[in-house]
Amino acid sequence: MADYTIKVRRYQPESGEPAYWEEFNVELDPSLSVLDGLLQAKDRDDGSLAVRCSCRAAICGSCGMKINGKSGLGCQTQIGEAQEQADKMAAIGGKTAAEASSPVGALADNAGVHTGGGTATATNAPIVIEPMGNMPVIKDLVTDMESTHWTKIRRVTPWLLPHGEPPEREYIVEPESMVDITQSMACIQCGACVSSCLSMEADPLFIGPAALAKAYRFVGDPRDAETTERLTDLAHDPHGIYDCTHCFSCVDACPKGVAPMDQIMRLRRKAGENGIEDPNSGHSHEMAFVNIIEKKGTLDESLLLQESFAPGVLGKLMPTKRAIKEMIGSLPTAVRGIKTGKMRSLPKLIPGVHHKLPGGAQDEVKAIYKHAEEHNEEFNLYIKGEEGDAEAAVEERLEPDSADYLPTAGEKEA
Amino acid sequence: MPSHDVLVIGAGLAGQRAALAAAEQGVSVGIVSKVHPVRSHSNAAQGGINAALNPDDTWESHAFDTVKGSDYLGDQDAIEIMAREAPEEILHMEHLGVTFHRNEEGKLGTRAFGGASAARTYYVADITGQAIMHVLYEQLMKYSEQITRYEEWFSSSLAIDENGECCGVVTRNVADGSMELFQAKSVILATGGSGQIWKPTTNALICTGDGIAMAYRVGAKLMDMEMIQYHPTTLAGKGFLITEGARGEGALLLNKNGERFMEKYAPNKMELASRDVVSRAEQTEINEGRGFPDGTVALDITVVPKKRIHEALREIVLVGRDFAGVDITREPIHIKPGNHYTMGGVKTDVEGRTDIPGLYAAGEVACVSVHGGNRLGANSLLDTLIFGKHSGRDAAARALRTDWSKPSGKVLEDEQAMIDDISGREKGSGRRVSEIKLELGQTMDAKVAVFRDEAGITEALETVRRLKEEAKTAYIDDHGSIFNQDLLGAIELGYMLDVAECSCIGALERKESRGAQYRTDYPERNDEEWLKHINLEKTEDGPEISYSEVTITQWQPEARTY
């Protein structure tokens, strides 16, 4: 048993008051969950504390919330671990996780609505609990998932579309294909990825990680007959698969290892493989990064726009109308970049001035590319296992042919 | 007033399957659920779903295993229907998109499960219930024009017309607290079990026996309420489930001396005997001092190849890691029997019809009875789908030949008065709802569990009756309309206490040991006197006991060994 202070961002819509923070003191075993802590507070202190929950075992997906600023499930986060994290954040930032994680934190604290336990110190900082992000709050930790999450799920035509009548018995499919999409079937629709999505914060219309992972569940399903239509739809939507910025937040937040971003990348790859026209230039934008880094080792930002809209020599000699339009359209962004100091140095402004990496470093980059191409494997938890094992497996694979691509110090000097 | 030909209450597997089956008949369907449908507890079914689909397997074999598993208390006509229709239903689910595990030929592959004479359990890793339920929800979204979803609407009372037929249900929109009488020609209860009466339990917090209590309160008969399954492998203290699939994949049960104790209790089937048998064996080891100090025995999954664990038991890897701090691929995990499943429930026929015309029940809320005294693993998902389908079809057929009718009483006003009463209680006027729930759960787990006797059950019954009185003055903190979970919790407590009373009465009445009911004071099965169902009907003075015959078609009761 240990004592904890949980600091909950509360909102009681019928009170007429804005959101406020309230601290509860709870006493429970460190191995129990943050949700157990909340339920204890609800049972003992205040039954009006609203939180959706049901299974307590990370399978129903009800208790999505932010704990110390990080989106996840209340039932899956041990309260002892949450305490360590809160202490760590307080020690680093010299402030509570609430202030660090959310501007609302600071505001509500200033409003002075603050009750309950002792003051926060670096060694026993309160565990900060907030409703999920990117969704309207209904009451306390209960968010409106219907208007956000579920509306987006329905956007991707979330049901199987096979051709014709089903076979007499089961569809015969590759065993691996079912294991593959079982990773996205493992999604419990908790919304943690949506809550953490930085792209959706910038573009609320972004279809988002959960819905796109759901889309991959059908695109990757050999029984579905509308693969091309689905991919075209998602590639053409300006808020579709190319709206993701690769930030990994959703991978980090997902309690079930669905790795939504990976599913989005698979959708992109399949769209590319299927030669789906891409009016958002998302695919060529991605390829621009790949090609520039392969050549120069680091990003030559002055080339990025040209490569994205008018890729290759041919693209530049005979730019399409759209490319010209897009390039002109991008000028204000470039100007803003210069004005705000993001693009100040010469190499960032003038194409071609950007330096290659010194010494053998550029060769190392090329070796990594080569390795990636040769080991074109999917990372799938159902096949590869958990992190520790995956790392071990990767090491195993690297060792035998490591000399192939990692130049030793001696070679470098030579 | 919203009205639908068929109204389904509860949106787990049984409810969603019933809604789809009813919609296929061309009637208008509404499905009401107190949580979002994908939060329903069918999610928690990990291991799989049984069907004699392989050419070298037979439905008769599946049916016999189920009959034997039920300790001959299951109704064999219903069991035959379930086993016969299972293969077609699995294929239907596959066609809708369930990502069932495939063998090397790309066909559906199976795993072994407890109490079964063939490997006939079809599965999606160890998230089978979740995978099927999410696919059914996909279908609900697809057919949204035929099926109206009422997500997060809490049902509190069934409406009965002047002919004694069910004609709707009173519900509360959780989001804003508004109350509605939903009118219907047929109502299907699919609200699941009542595991929350026990603490700990593998059941979700929402499993509070709502449908069982609502049906009981309007006069429907309940059946075999004493039959409560304790699952052999749950985490101590927290009650989390470790799938039977783990033992199906080869995991062993060991006592503190490292002995594979199932050799003594079920020399042939070993770890894969029926759940009641394995749970009793474990509890005996623990009671006789061969368990670990935390009151557990060990489940050793390390004998299963690592690659297979990651592919087939990944959820258990996560449960071990997140909730027990154990890497199951490297060390055994401590487990014990824990409350898991309500075999009893609202008495229905094979079409899901209860004693009240117009009222149906399917899934864990119902007692058809296909599970009798003990449910086989991977038969619960099957039960939900088969009898969900039957209920949906029959409810639709009834709706097509029935006129609209009105409740005989003022149900909506009565409900509002009930809520006003709860809301109006002064803080400190009685006990907190949560305190009563805790005492109920601990009492039931101590007295009405794996081993039972008259003194213990009587004590539990007295406690339940005292708690029923205390619940009348229990107070809540939240007096608002929006998302008032506090109020719903108080209503749920009422359901739980009604159901708990019935479980105690049934356990006290059945003076024999059969399936999950093991009476230390009556340790033998007694077919002469007790090969019959115990029915309970509500009266002013509590549940009134009556009996009904067990339907036997081709399998006469015989001694049950594994």
Side-chain angles (χ1 to χ4, degrees), chain B residues 240-426:
Chain B
F240 292 142
L241 178 66
I242 307 287
T243 176
E244 186 167 308
R247 281 171 288 139
E249 299 290 343
L252 308 176
L253 288 169
L254 306 172
N255 63 21
K256 74 167 178 189
N257 306 321
E259 292 158 348
R260 198 177 167 195
F261 57 85
M262 283 311 296
E263 285 168 356
K264 283 185 285 182
Y265 304 91
N268 297 317
K269 296 298 286 182
M270 303 288 276
E271 280 83 358
L272 289 178
S274 275
R275 288 177 174 175
D276 58 329
V277 175
V278 181
S279 285
R280 270 196 298 280
E282 290 176 2
Q283 198 60 52
T284 304
E285 292 294 303
I286 294 162
N287 291 352
E288 292 178 359
R290 292 185 297 279
F292 294 96
D294 57 346
T296 61
V297 291
L299 177 70
D300 185 3
I301 311 177
T302 63
V303 295
V304 182
K306 218 168 180 184
K307 180 176 182 293
R308 184 66 188 154
I309 293 180
H310 286 306
E311 177 185 288
L313 299 171
R314 202 177 78 88
E315 188 63 29
I316 301 308
V317 174
L318 298 182
V319 167
R321 187 194 71 189
D322 296 336
F323 301 111
V326 170
D327 179 352
I328 60 150
T329 65
R330 292 168 208 266
E331 56 183 318
I333 188 165
H334 285 200
I335 50 86
K336 62 177 288 189
N339 176 278
H340 183 58
Y341 188 84
T342 314
M343 266 90 63
V346 184
K347 182 182 194 302
T348 73
D349 66 10
V350 295
E351 303 303 335
R353 293 180 285 229
T354 69
D355 291 336
I356 311 278
L359 181 64
Y360 293 74
E364 196 172 342
V365 63
C367 185
V368 187
S369 161
V370 285
H371 307 305
N374 171 66
R375 174 175 71 72
L376 290 192
N379 263 355
S380 62
L381 291 182
L382 184 60
D383 170 20
T384 63
L385 294 178
I386 299 293
F387 295 103
K389 176 184 74 178
H390 278 266
S391 300
R393 284 182 187 165
D394 203 81
R398 179 191 145 86
L400 290 171
R401 60 173 191 263
T402 307
D403 288 329
W404 296 101
S405 66
K406 284 198 178 100
S408 57
K410 292 183 157 72
V411 272
L412 200 53
E413 288 81 349
D414 291 350
E415 278 314 285
Q416 193 58 55
M418 180 267 292
I419 285 169
D420 292 345
D421 169 53
I422 295 174
S423 259
R425 293 173 202 158
E426 291 288 318

Side-chain angles (χ1 to χ4, degrees), chain A residues 14 42-43 47 51-52 54 56 60 76 78 139 158 169-171 173 188-189 214 217 223 256, chain B residues 39 94-95 97-98 102 106 108 138 152 203 205 240 314-315 322 432 477-478 481-482 485:
Chain A
E14 289 161 279
K42 188 178 165 98
D43 282 351
V51 52
R52 284 195 186 99
S54 179
R56 303 158 296 136
C60 77
Q76 204 189 28
Q78 289 185 357
K139 177 179 177 179
R169 283 188 58 105
E170 68 269 40
Y171 288 96
V173 295
I188 55 175
Q189 310 292 348
K214 184 84 176 167
R217 173 250 174 285
R223 298 169 296 184
K256 305 305 289 187
Chain B
R39 314 295 175 216
E94 198 278 325
H95 295 157
V98 177
R102 307 288 159 148
L108 297 178
E138 289 167 12
E152 301 192 314
N203 283 203
L205 297 167
F240 292 142
R314 202 177 78 88
E315 188 63 29
D322 296 336
R432 289 184 78 80
D477 302 324
D478 194 337
S481 303
I482 297 173
Q485 298 172 317

Side-chain angles (χ1 to χ4, degrees), chain B residues 194 197 208-209 212-213 225 494-504:
Chain B
S194 54
I197 293 169
T208 47
I212 303 176
M225 290 301 292
Y495 295 148
M496 288 160 66
L497 288 165
D498 278 1
V499 177
E501 183 182 22
C502 291
S503 286
C504 291

